[in-house]
């Protein structure tokens, strides 16, 4: 960790701990993921459902695309209010339910998890707080190993949640390539942490709003970045798929409405690049990891990073720059107005 990082807001210094947190998760949880992978191969669930809120739900979006593309199983997010408010029983026989939470204490998520278990699902939780009720109630509890996180804006707990999904899928599929990606992940994030996104992100310091787009595995990164723009910088940002944005939302794009566009080197790259070119053609300021597209403001990306890790490296780089935009806008990124670290909903 550099002196600049130590002097940065708490959000940035905690984000800088992520590579070491990934190493802790590998060291502590690899046997848990191996056992879970063997159990899931025996169970052969028909489908997967997730339960989460906020940044944790964004992590579940990444898990959805990873499971669907690697294992061919449908994944759906269940709104906790279906159980906590509507009091609907769930029929989840021969399924996998995954809860994702930093605190493991929100009443609605606890109620949803209880109902999923009663409905016949194998229940798994990725949780940072190992003393929490959620950690105790599931069939398989796996700690995120992020360590204490005091900034209201979640950083390392979000990235370790994505990494937990990657570890689970790698062991479930027993895929040597994915397992190698898991082993190499801390090093990739260290490279991402060294990249400077501030010159590109500085274009956002004086704007009122923007779109953040990604596709496939990158959708979760777009969602998380949009939330962090709101939380830290009081900057309205909407996350869209690069496919969806070219429908109605494209009407807002132009010289006074910027776009942050994420890419990864997989099947989504060509159509996402086409969408970026279209928005550049509308006169928008487009910040993008696709720095080779004429007219974009390049955001540096880690060369050669596996597609499964590209959303993690992009978010890592973003975290190291967005706090400076908050400061430029006269805000404290560690203490967003109207928010608390642990949010309990019903």
């Amino acid at each position: 960790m550099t002196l600049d990082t130590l002097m940065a807001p708490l959000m940035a210094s905690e984000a800088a701990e992520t590579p070491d947190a990934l190493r802790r998760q590998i060291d502590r949880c690899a046997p848990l993921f191996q056992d879970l992978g063997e159990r899931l191969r025996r169970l052969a669930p028909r489908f997967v459902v997730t339960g989460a809120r906020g940044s944790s739900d964004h992590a579940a979006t990444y898990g959805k695309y990873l499971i669907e593309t690697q294992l061919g199983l449908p994944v759906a997010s269940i709104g906790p209010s279906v159980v906590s408010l509507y009091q609907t029983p769930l029929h989840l026989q021969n399924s996998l339910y995954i809860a994702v939470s930093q605190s493991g204490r929100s009443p609605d998520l606890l109620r949803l998890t209880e109902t999923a278990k009663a409905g016949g699902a194998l229940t798994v939780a990725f949780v940072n707080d190992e003393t929490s009720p959620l950690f105790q109630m599931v069939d398989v509890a796996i700690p995120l190993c992020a360590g204490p996180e005091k900034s209201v804006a979640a950083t390392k707990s979000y990235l370790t949640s994505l990494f937990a999904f990657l570890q689970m899928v790698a062991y479930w599929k027993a895929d040597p390539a994915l397992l190698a990606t898991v082993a190499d992940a801390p090093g990739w994030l260290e490279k991402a942490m060294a990249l400077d996104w501030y010159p590109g992100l500085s274009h956002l310091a004086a704007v009122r709003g923007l779109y953040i787009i990604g596709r496939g595995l990158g959708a979760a990164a777009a969602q998380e970045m949009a939330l962090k723009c709101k939380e830290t910088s009081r900057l309205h940002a909407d996350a869209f798929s690069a496919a969806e944005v070219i429908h109605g939302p494209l009407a807002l794009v132009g010289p006074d409405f910027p776009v942050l566009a994420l890419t990864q080197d997989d099947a989504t790259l060509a159509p996402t690049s086409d969408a970026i070119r279209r928005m550049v053609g509308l006169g928008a300021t487009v910040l993008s990891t696709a720095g080779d597209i004429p007219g974009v403001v390049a955001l540096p990306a880690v060369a050669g990073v596996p597609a499964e890790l590209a959303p993690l490296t992009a978010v890592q780089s973003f975290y190291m720059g967005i706090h400076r935009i908050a400061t430029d806008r006269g805000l404290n990124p560690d203490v967003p107005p109207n928010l608390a670290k642990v949010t309990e909903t019903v």
Side-chain angles (χ1 to χ4, degrees):
M1 190 177 297
T2 65
L3 179 60
D4 287 344
T5 301
L6 290 170
M7 297 176 64
L10 189 58
M11 173 190 173
S13 61
E14 288 180 344
E17 297 169 9
T18 302
D20 285 339
L22 299 193
R23 292 186 179 98
R24 287 194 298 271
Q25 193 184 108
I26 291 171
D27 291 343
R28 283 195 60 196
C29 301
L32 298 176
F33 282 115
Q34 184 171 11
D35 290 346
L36 177 59
E38 293 170 355
R39 185 170 182 176
L40 289 171
R41 288 196 296 275
R42 292 194 302 269
L43 176 65
R46 295 180 297 120
F47 59 93
V48 181
V49 292
T50 61
R53 292 281 194 198
S55 288
S56 295
D57 197 36
H58 303 161
T61 298
Y62 172 82
K64 167 185 170 65
Y65 278 102
L66 194 64
I67 292 167
E68 289 178 345
T69 57
Q70 293 289 336
L71 297 163
L73 290 175
V75 182
S77 172
I78 299 182
S81 62
V82 169
V83 169
S84 65
L85 297 181
Y86 289 100
Q87 300 182 18
T88 307
L90 300 175
H91 306 289
L92 299 177
Q93 292 81 8
N94 195 27
S95 72
L96 170 64
Y97 166 85
I98 306 169
V100 188
S101 178
Q102 299 162 44
S103 70
R105 297 180 185 280
S106 188
D108 54 352
L109 184 58
L110 296 175
R111 181 71 185 278
L112 174 60
T113 303
E114 288 175 339
T115 304
K117 193 169 188 177
L122 172 67
T123 57
V124 173
F126 302 150
V127 193
N128 200 38
D129 186 346
E130 297 175 47
T131 69
S132 66
L134 180 62
F135 199 86
Q136 308 304 320
M137 74 168 50
V138 293
D139 298 308
V140 180
I142 296 181
L144 294 177
C145 304
E149 190 173 59
K150 297 180 180 179
S151 177
V152 171
T155 55
K156 57 181 177 173
S157 62
Y158 170 76
L159 287 169
T160 51
S161 296
L162 269 66
F163 192 56
F165 275 109
L166 181 60
Q167 285 220 69
M168 181 189 71
V169 171
Y171 281 101
W172 185 355
K173 193 177 179 183
D175 184 320
L178 279 182
L179 290 168
T181 297
V182 165
D184 293 340
W188 285 113
L189 265 68
E190 285 176 335
K191 292 179 181 179
M193 195 164 60
L195 300 178
D196 187 3
W197 275 31
Y198 177 67
L201 294 178
S202 64
H203 288 78
L204 305 179
V207 305
R208 297 184 62 186
L210 72 152
Y211 288 153
I212 303 183
I213 67 168
R215 194 165 182 186
L217 293 169
Q223 291 175 330
E224 174 64 6
M225 291 180 189
L227 176 61
K228 289 300 184 286
C229 285
K230 298 182 182 81
E231 277 185 325
T232 68
S233 305
R234 305 194 95 173
L235 175 59
H236 184 79
D238 285 327
F240 282 102
S241 159
E244 294 293 339
V245 77
I246 63 173
H247 295 282
L250 194 66
L252 289 182
V253 174
D256 59 348
F257 196 89
V259 177
L260 195 164
L262 305 170
T263 57
Q264 66 267 351
D265 189 11
D266 64 8
T268 67
L269 181 58
T272 302
S273 297
D274 288 343
I276 292 169
R277 292 186 187 95
R278 186 168 178 180
M279 289 182 285
V280 169
L282 292 172
T285 298
V286 181
L287 321 177
S288 182
T289 52
D292 58 340
I293 296 178
V296 306
V297 177
L299 297 172
V302 182
V305 65
E308 295 81 12
L309 285 178
L312 284 75
T313 56
V315 171
Q316 179 76 75
S317 298
F318 173 84
Y319 283 158
M320 306 313 294
I322 190 61
H323 69 91
R324 297 178 64 184
I325 304 306
T327 302
D328 289 347
R329 292 168 69 91
L331 301 167
N332 182 346
D334 291 328
V335 190
N338 310 320
L339 298 176
K341 182 59 182 171
V342 178
T343 303
E344 295 187 359
T345 49
V346 295

